[in-house]
């Protein structure tokens, strides 16, 4: 990928920074496209002089996407939402990116979807992701589709969210038994870069990306609390209470999120994954404690004191 140009649609987001970092290690030139490119300027320090470009683009406006992918050797679609614009972003937007990549003559397209994507799924999120995959395949048959489980990393909004909750005296847990297979954002970045390096081997395939550990919601929240030295009382809510809560306006969980929690979010046994892309998965316990330390009492100083007195 040395000196190749890759356009990252939504490259300044949580996952995009890890993809950009991995590509720039290869000597790839990275063009970051998003609605406000100024929000991605922090990526300049990740590469060499002239290795990054920034362009304004909106996935719902085909003309801006076409300009963003012009001259690109490969394209990555990283845009995802949870809310009212899912059809416009996950389906129509994904189609727009795939059609623009094909028209620009890109040799490879990596499309980030999600485990659970299903055009016939109950949740609107799952349906839109599934329909988006079909739209991408129709427009760019050789695209590589990557479906990660819950993605964790320093900037994530999942593990960090629970870390902020466990300081309370009582922590309610919804769907305590539902299982996840958390995957490190850096590993997803490596997987995307690997797919782009060899589109002949990986093009046209769908990969499900999960870490080495399968963990339930209840186990995850308890592990986070233990890691942070917190000892709250855990209250596992029955499904009836969770379903009711998801219907209450202003609730911390939406109806669609509740529907997504009805199924495990783990890699299918028959699906190719990180190993087939040459990536060794990092466990949650090896990465998360370092960035969760800010939630500990006294932060790193408290952690150091506990280590010295142990």
């Amino acid at each position: 990928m040395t000196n190749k140009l890759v356009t990252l649609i939504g490259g300044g987001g949580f996952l995009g920074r890890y993809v950009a970092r991995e590509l720039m290690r290869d000597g790839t030139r990275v063009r970051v496209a998003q609605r406000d490119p100024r929000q991605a300027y922090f990526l300049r320090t990740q590469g060499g002089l002239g290795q990054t470009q920034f362009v304004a683009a909106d996935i719902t406006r085909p003309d801006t996407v076409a300009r963003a992918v012009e001259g690109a050797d490969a394209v990555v679609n990283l845009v995802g939402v949870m809310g009212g614009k899912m059809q416009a972003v996950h389906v129509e937007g994904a189609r727009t990116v795939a059609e623009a990549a094909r028209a620009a003559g890109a040799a490879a397209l990596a499309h980030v979807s999600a485990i659970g994507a299903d055009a016939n799924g109950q949740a609107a999120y799952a349906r839109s992701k599934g329909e988006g995959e079909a739209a991408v395949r129709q427009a760019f048959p050789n695209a590589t589709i990557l479906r990660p489980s819950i993605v964790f990393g320093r900037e994530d909004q999942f593990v960090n969210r629970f870390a902020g909750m466990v300081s309370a005296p009582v922590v309610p847990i919804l769907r305590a038994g539902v299982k996840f297979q958390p995957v490190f954002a850096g590993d997803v970045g490596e997987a995307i870069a690997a797919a782009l390096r060899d589109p002949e081997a990986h093009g046209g395939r769908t990969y499900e990306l999960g870490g080495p550990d399968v963990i339930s919601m209840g186990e995850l929240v308890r592990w986070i609390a233990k890691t942070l030295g917190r000892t709250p009382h855990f209250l596992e809510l029955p499904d009836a209470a969770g379903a009711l809560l998801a219907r209450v306006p202003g609730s911390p969980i939406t109806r669609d999120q509740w529907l997504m929690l009805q199924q495990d979010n783990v890699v299918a046994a028959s699906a190719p994954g990180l190993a087939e892309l040459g990536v060794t998965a990092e466990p949650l316990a090896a990465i998360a404690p370092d960035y969760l330390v800010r939630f500990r009492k006294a932060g790193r100083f408290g952690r150091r004191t506990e280590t010295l007195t142990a």
Side-chain angles (χ1 to χ4, degrees):
M1 296 294 291
T2 302
N3 291 325
K4 298 288 186 179
L5 175 62
V6 177
T7 294
L8 302 183
I9 307 294
F14 163 47
L15 184 55
R17 68 192 67 204
Y18 292 89
V19 180
R21 186 180 306 163
E22 190 63 31
L23 289 171
M24 286 190 278
R25 284 176 181 167
D26 280 353
T28 306
R29 292 179 293 126
V30 174
R31 179 186 291 159
V32 180
Q34 59 185 64
R35 283 182 296 177
D36 185 354
R38 293 172 298 182
Q39 296 178 353
Y41 284 173
F42 66 90
L43 290 172
R44 286 173 169 167
T45 60
Q46 303 298 313
L49 185 63
Q51 201 173 1
T52 52
Q53 304 174 16
F54 302 88
V55 61
D58 184 334
I59 199 171
T60 64
R61 293 180 55 190
D63 58 325
T64 67
V65 175
R67 287 196 296 269
V69 304
E70 185 178 356
D73 297 288
V75 178
V76 181
N77 181 15
L78 296 157
V79 182
V81 295
M82 178 66 77
K85 294 185 177 180
M86 290 186 287
Q87 189 73 17
V89 172
H90 295 163
V91 184
E92 299 307 323
R95 179 182 291 110
T96 293
V97 172
E99 289 177 347
R102 182 190 64 199
L109 169 64
H111 174 74
V112 178
S113 184
I115 286 180
D118 181 357
N120 298 311
Q122 276 191 304
Y125 181 86
R127 288 197 303 274
S128 63
K129 283 292 190 179
E131 291 172 11
E133 290 185 2
V136 168
R137 281 272 181 256
Q138 184 177 26
F140 200 114
N142 203 43
T144 303
I145 293 175
L146 302 111
R147 297 174 172 174
S149 181
I150 296 301
V151 181
F152 69 89
R154 185 173 297 275
E155 307 83 6
D156 73 58
Q157 296 182 26
F158 190 78
V159 176
N160 277 302
R161 182 179 183 184
F162 288 114
M165 293 172 55
V166 297
S167 59
V170 178
V171 177
I173 303 176
L174 292 172
R175 295 289 293 160
V178 70
K179 293 180 173 59
F180 303 97
Q181 197 168 346
V183 59
F184 176 46
D187 293 340
V188 178
E190 281 192 52
I192 292 171
L196 298 183
R197 290 185 197 111
D198 194 351
E200 288 190 11
H202 305 299
R205 303 188 70 187
T206 298
Y207 294 88
E208 296 199 347
L209 311 181
D213 304 313
V214 174
I215 186 170
S216 72
M217 178 72 84
E219 291 169 338
L220 175 63
V221 177
R222 287 178 171 86
W223 176 83
I224 292 171
K226 183 179 179 181
T227 299
L228 299 179
R230 304 287 186 175
T231 56
H233 174 71
F234 297 101
L235 180 62
E236 296 187 4
L237 299 179
D239 282 357
L244 180 62
L245 181 65
R247 293 181 181 274
V248 176
S251 170
I253 183 171
T254 67
R255 173 66 176 166
D256 208 59
Q257 289 171 328
W258 172 252
L259 291 174
M260 290 294 291
L261 287 175
Q262 302 311 301
Q263 295 183 333
D264 292 338
N265 194 282
V266 299
V267 172
S270 59
L274 290 174
E276 286 76 10
L277 288 160
V279 180
T280 301
E282 293 279 2
L284 179 69
I287 303 292
D290 184 59
Y291 67 83
L292 292 180
V293 71
R294 64 192 179 93
F295 293 98
R296 295 177 65 89
K297 295 177 182 178
R300 294 189 183 277
F301 295 102
R303 186 176 180 183
R304 182 181 178 188
T305 299
E306 290 174 13
T307 302
L308 293 173
T309 58

